[in-house]
Amino acid sequence: EVQLVESGGGLVQAGGSLRLSCATSGFRFDNYGIGWFREAPGKEREAIACISSSSGTTYQLGSVKGRFTISSDNAEKTVYLQMNSLKPEDTAVYYCAADSLGFCSDNRYTFNFWGHGTQVTVSS
């Protein structure tokens, strides 16, 4: 059974940092593209960043470039999202997702497995 479990969310002040983790199981980790998405209240779910063996790392959201870093630990089958210099507009539920074809797309519908999400709240 494919599973993705996010953790590391919470409440942080503007300017602070959080590191999100996406622990995976049930599939061959290095064959998949793993992406981070976020969904704020009343907004569409948007792609943030993605990592795969074929594409490397891709940052799809311009507003996080230079502040967020995606990385992976293949031995632990875990993908991380280091978030620095957080802003109130980063407040959202953050999801990780897996693309079984190994691609990194900014189209959420190409990802066929999803975690349940972790809440990130940035106070001003």
Side-chain angles (χ1 to χ4, degrees):
E1 178 186 6
V2 174
Q3 287 191 323
L4 298 94
V5 180
E6 304 95 336
S7 62
L11 174 64
V12 64
Q13 288 188 330
S17 297
L18 286 173
R19 188 176 81 155
L20 305 183
S21 299
C22 174
T24 73
S25 62
F27 61 93
R28 185 168 173 174
F29 182 79
D30 55 0
N31 282 357
Y32 279 61
I34 308 292
W36 283 100
F37 292 75
R38 71 184 185 186
E39 186 171 331
K43 295 188 177 180
E44 292 288 320
R45 189 170 299 188
E46 58 185 358
I48 302 169
C50 186
I51 190 166
S52 74
S53 58
S54 59
S55 305
T57 58
T58 307
Y59 294 92
Q60 294 108 336
L61 191 59
S63 63
V64 307
K65 289 180 181 178
R67 299 190 297 124
F68 291 11
T69 303
I70 190 170
S71 63
S72 67
D73 183 331
N74 287 5
E76 295 295 326
K77 299 184 179 181
T78 299
V79 175
Y80 303 98
L81 186 68
Q82 177 68 43
M83 307 187 295
N84 299 327
S85 302
L86 283 161
K87 304 175 181 181
E89 51 264 42
D90 294 317
T91 295
V93 178
Y94 284 69
Y95 299 89
C96 64
D99 179 340
S100 60
L101 296 180
F103 297 127
C104 275
S105 168
D106 58 0
N107 182 346
R108 58 179 287 193
Y109 297 105
T110 67
F111 289 81
N112 40 356
F113 300 103
W114 289 83
H116 292 296
T118 185
Q119 176 71 47
V120 171
T121 303
V122 184
S123 63
S124 57

